[in-house]
Amino acid sequence: MSTRPRHYLGLLDRYRDRLPVTPGMRIISLCEGNTPLIPLENLSREAGHDVKIYAKFEGLNPTGSFKDRGMTMAVTQAVHEGTKAVICASTGNTSAAAAAYAARAGVRAFVLIPEGKIALGKLAQAMIQGAVVVQIEGNFDDGMRIVKEMADAAPIAIVNSINPYRLQGQKTAAFEIVDELGRAPDYHCIPVGNAGNISAYWTGFSEYAAVSPRTAACGFCTDACAFPHPAVCDTRPVMVGYQAAGSAPFVRGGPVENPETIATAIRIGNPQSWHLAWAAVNESGGWVDELTDEEILKAQKLLAEREGVFCEPASAISVGGLLRDIKAGKIKPGSVITCTLTGHGLKDPDTAIKQSDGAVLRIPADTDAVKRAILDRM
Ligand code: F0G
């Protein structure tokens, strides 16, 4: 009897019994998922009220964002159906993931991005991974409209989150959280843009809660397993979504014409998963709120400085919003809270450097000068 765990092969392998994976399917994977659930010890202590805050750091997926979860499933299905090309509109991360999985599958990727409003790292990813990058003189919502029309005109698979296979893949993040904690969190906080991810998490938490006590193996285990085993869990978290103030259709109650925010990943005025997201928020007794760009940047910096976690601005909104809601008394004392940090900070070096202006000391290449500079700051 072997006690050595198998090599981790990605989330379609690990959760295949809960996903539309069929026998013999060629799985297109970069070993995505299995991201860390980092206890934010300093921020939890400082927030008080006996809360425990965890960050699901999705920036540690292969292309640096949660999109890989959805893309492994969507591209696997597209290839299974014989598709030769995929297309998406994107604020950046979807395009990076689509390009990567298409490259791996050997199919073409066409990505539509808003001109001048995409973080540098994301653009670099789509370019080097061989996607056909189309910059449109418009925003994400324009791109989404065009992509839907294109798919009617050409044999090409849309891999935006309107593709139901995307949400299937993304729901596994909720499975991992419950498996890791051994229970569902009391609250789950998440950035909302096109609103696919909040919908996917709700599906995941709901599916796990519906099978109680759960008996299925985690899909990864054989006889021994280095990963947490599935927990018995019949509860679901309160779902809390956060949007950028200039791009907050859920807070306004309808589409926003010209969305604007420093958090370009969620610069979206007309979310495609509108009804699914409202269902998640309402069924869970949750809410959606907005943060200003200033609050978003402050949260990004706080996470980096106090916890050593560098996520992109759009991701930090989940922790920034949560800390504000704890202060406002909206979170029950003693709660376990998980926050999704959707993308890595390295995606957007420009914003990080601008935020940290003045943090680099310029001094002569001289030991005494360096000594003085360091000793002054000890
Ligand atoms: N955070 C990041 C870093 C994102 O890239 C996105 C969406 C979201 C949050 C919001 O997730 O759309 O499921 O509500 N980015 C998409 C893209 C739109 O094109 O990369 P959502």
Side-chain angles (χ1 to χ4, degrees):
M1 199 165 73
S2 160
T3 52
R4 215 174 125 258
R6 283 193 294 142
H7 178 59
Y8 178 78
L9 293 174
L11 54 89
L12 297 195
D13 181 55
R14 182 171 181 188
Y15 293 110
R16 67 164 61 228
D17 59 331
R18 296 181 178 277
L19 291 168
V21 177
T22 52
M25 215 175 195
R26 179 185 161 213
I27 289 179
I28 312 299
S29 171
L30 283 160
C31 301
E32 58 296 302
N34 194 28
T35 54
L37 188 65
I38 305 174
L40 300 182
E41 288 169 3
N42 295 326
L43 294 185
S44 296
R45 197 175 50 248
E46 287 159 18
H49 303 283
D50 202 21
V51 294
K52 283 201 177 65
I53 310 171
Y54 294 86
K56 181 70 172 157
F57 195 14
E58 290 289 276
L60 294 180
N61 273 297
T63 78
S65 88
F66 71 96
K67 304 288 181 180
D68 295 347
R69 291 185 187 273
M71 210 54 77
T72 182
M73 189 71 248
V75 173
T76 293
Q77 177 63 22
V79 168
H80 185 65
E81 289 170 10
T83 306
K84 296 276 177 281
V86 298
I87 189 167
C88 65
S90 181
T91 56
N93 281 325
T94 301
S95 67
Y101 286 82
R104 205 150 167 91
V107 300
R108 257 228 174 295
F110 297 91
V111 304
L112 269 66
I113 56 171
E115 195 177 24
K117 295 287 182 179
I118 164 171
L120 198 64
K122 303 173 188 179
L123 182 61
Q125 287 178 290
M127 290 169 71
I128 191 96
Q129 286 160 176
V132 177
V133 180
V134 184
Q135 289 207 356
I136 56 165
E137 294 167 4
N139 59 28
F140 172 85
D141 302 307
D142 297 316
M144 204 57 246
R145 174 179 46 79
I146 296 165
V147 159
K148 286 202 248 176
E149 287 164 8
M150 273 304 299
D152 290 338
I156 190 165
I158 298 182
V159 290
N160 279 106
S161 56
I162 55 169
N163 176 333
Y165 290 92
R166 275 277 311 275
L167 299 195
Q168 284 295 309
Q170 284 171 216
K171 75 182 180 185
T172 59
F175 296 168
E176 287 179 15
I177 287 174
V178 177
D179 286 345
E180 191 94 16
L181 287 178
R183 52 163 287 187
D186 297 306
Y187 298 84
H188 185 77
C189 301
I190 188 165
V192 176
N194 209 22
N197 212 25
I198 190 171
S199 310
Y201 270 77
W202 186 238
T203 303
F205 285 127
S206 300
E207 284 184 12
Y208 253 27
V211 193
S212 178
R214 293 191 298 105
T215 49
C218 72
F220 182 69
C221 315
T222 44
D223 49 348
C225 177
F227 295 89
H229 286 249
V232 174
C233 161
D234 57 6
T235 62
R236 298 185 289 179
V238 172
M239 299 295 290
V240 185
Y242 296 106
Q243 301 213 276
S247 310
F250 285 97
V251 181
R252 305 279 163 270
V256 170
E257 197 64 48
N258 291 306
E260 245 349 307
T261 169
I262 184 94
T264 51
I266 50 173
R267 185 174 166 268
I268 295 172
N270 187 18
Q272 299 295 307
S273 294
W274 180 262
H275 296 293
L276 288 176
W278 272 128
V281 169
N282 292 333
E283 284 171 27
S284 72
W287 61 90
V288 182
D289 211 338
E290 61 187 324
L291 276 79
T292 61
D293 280 1
E294 204 184 345
E295 288 176 303
I296 293 171
L297 292 178
K298 204 172 137 208
Q300 185 193 23
K301 201 158 186 174
L302 190 70
L303 270 161
E305 287 184 350
R306 302 289 297 125
E307 297 285 4
V309 175
F310 182 28
C311 64
E312 63 174 292
S315 309
I317 204 170
S318 59
V319 169
L322 167 67
L323 294 178
R324 199 179 64 188
D325 282 343
I326 292 172
K327 251 194 204 140
K330 292 172 82 172
I331 304 289
K332 282 200 193 90
S335 293
V336 170
I337 308 137
T338 48
C339 297
T340 303
L341 299 183
T342 43
H344 204 288
L346 290 172
K347 294 268 191 177
D348 189 357
D350 296 326
T351 304
I353 289 170
K354 250 185 243 149
Q355 270 250 67
S356 316
D357 220 14
V360 178
L361 303 173
R362 298 187 76 86
I363 50 177
D366 171 79
T367 308
D368 281 341
V370 173
K371 245 192 227 162
R372 263 196 311 279
I374 289 177
L375 293 178
D376 277 358
R377 286 168 179 79
M378 290 281 277

